[in-house]
C-alpha cells in the first residue's frame, strides 16, 4: 500500500512544484483578461475565496449502502484530480484565497493549517492540504450537516470578509447525507425521508454568514441515483451555484461549477 501511495504522490509533487513556480497557462500578473477599461478607470482583481468541501466517507472505498463493495473513488484519483487540476490552473492568482473541508464519520474539518486565516493565499498551505487529503483514510458516514456548519464557521471567521469578497464553494460527494434523517444519530440511511428543508436552511445560513457574495455549487460522483442527484441539484439552486452529475458527463472540470472572477473596471 505504501508503494502504491508513493506512485500516486509522484505526479502530485511534479504538478504542484510547477504551481510553486507559477508555471500556469494564464495571463501574466497585471495584464487584462478580457476586460478593456476606459482611460479613466483601472482593472482591479476581485478578491475571492475558493472552498472545496470534499467527501471522505467510507463509501469511496467500500461502496455506498445501496451498492456495497463498489467503491466510488477508492484511490482518490477523481477527487484529488479535479481539485489539483483547478489549483494548478488558478493557484498563483494573488486575488484568490483557498481552503478544503474534509467530511467523514460525524465530523468535518479544515485541511488548511494557516491558523490565522480561514482561507489562505499561501501556496504551501494549499499543497499541504491536498497532501493531507491524500494521506487520510476514507472511512465512516457522510455528514453533510457537519460540513455545512464548518463552512459557515469558516466564512464567519474570515477576517478578509467584506462586501467586495466573493466566496465560491464546490461541495463534492458520492451519496446521501447521514446526519439529516428524522431518527437522529441512530438513523443513518433514510431514502425518501431525508430532512430536505433542514439541508436547504443550512445552505442558506452559509450564504447569510458572509457580508459579500457566496455561490454554493455541487458535484455528484456516486452511482446513478435520482434522489441523490436531485438533492444536490436543489442544494446548488438554493446556493445560487451550478450542479454536475458525473453520470451525465464524461469528466468533471471544476471550472464548470466555479467561475473564477478575474478583473473589473473601477
Amino acid at each position: 500500500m505504501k508503494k502504491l501511495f508513493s506512485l500516486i504522490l509522484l505526479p502530485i509533487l511534479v504538478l504542484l512544484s510547477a504551481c510553486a513556480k507559477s508555471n500556469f497557462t494564464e495571463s501574466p500578473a497585471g495584464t487584462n483578461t478580457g476586460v478593456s477599461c476606459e482611460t479613466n478607470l483601472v482593472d482591479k482583481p476581485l478578491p475571492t475565496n475558493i472552498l472545496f468541501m470534499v467527501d471522505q466517507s467510507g463509501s469511496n472505498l467500500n461502496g455506498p449502502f445501496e451498492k456495497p463493495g463498489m467503491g466510488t473513488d477508492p484511490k482518490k484519483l477523481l477527487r484529488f484530480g479535479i481539485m489539483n487540476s483547478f489549483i494548478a490552473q488558478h493557484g498563483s492568482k494573488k486575488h484568490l484565497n483557498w481552503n478544503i473541508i474534509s467530511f467523514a464519520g460525524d465530523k468535518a474539518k479544515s485541511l488548511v493549517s494557516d491558523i490565522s486565516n480561514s482561507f489562505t493565499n499561501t501556496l504551501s498551505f494549499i499543497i499541504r492540504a491536498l497532501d493531507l487529503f491524500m494521506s487520510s483514510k476514507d472511512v465512516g458516514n457522510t455528514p453533510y450537516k457537519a460540513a455545512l456548519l464548518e463552512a459557515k464557521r469558516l466564512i464567519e471567521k474570515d477576517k478578509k470578509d467584506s462586501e467586495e469578497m466573493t466566496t465560491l464553494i464546490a461541495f463534492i460527494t458520492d451519496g446521501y447525507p447521514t446526519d439529516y434523517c428524522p431518527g437522529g444519530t441512530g438513523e443513518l440511511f433514510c431514502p425518501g425521508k431525508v430532512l430536505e428543508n433542514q439541508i436547504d436552511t443550512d445552505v442558506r445560513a452559509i450564504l447569510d454568514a458572509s457580508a459579500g457574495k457566496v455561490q454554493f455549487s455541487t458535484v455528484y460522483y456516486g452511482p446513478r441515483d435520482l434522489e441523490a442527484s436531485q438533492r444536490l441539484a436543489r442544494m446548488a439552486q438554493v446556493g445560487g451555484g451550478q450542479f454536475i452529475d458525473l453520470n451525465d458527463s464524461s469528466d468533471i472540470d471544476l471550472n464548470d461549477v466555479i467561475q473564477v472572477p478575474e478583473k473589473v473596471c473601477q
Side-chain angles (χ1 to χ4, degrees), residues 78-109:
L78 170 67
R79 288 165 291 162
F80 172 83
I82 61 176
M83 291 189 291
N84 187 58
S85 176
F86 191 86
I87 292 172
Q89 183 176 354
H90 301 291
S92 69
K93 297 177 179 178
K94 300 303 181 184
H95 65 296
L96 300 185
N97 307 287
W98 305 80
N99 205 332
I100 301 172
I101 289 175
S102 166
F103 58 99
D106 60 357
K107 296 180 176 63
K109 61 183 178 180

Side-chain angles (χ1 to χ4, degrees), residues 46 48-50 86 90 93 95-96 166-170 213 215 217 240-244 253-262:
L46 294 169
T48 303
N49 293 327
I50 306 291
F86 191 86
H90 301 291
K93 297 177 179 178
H95 65 296
L96 300 185
T166 295
T167 300
L168 304 176
I169 299 172
K213 180 180 180 181
Q215 289 183 347
S217 296
Q242 305 295 322
F243 167 65
I244 289 181
D253 184 345
L254 286 182
N255 285 290
D256 294 333
V257 294
I258 298 179
Q259 284 81 46
V260 173
E262 296 297 341

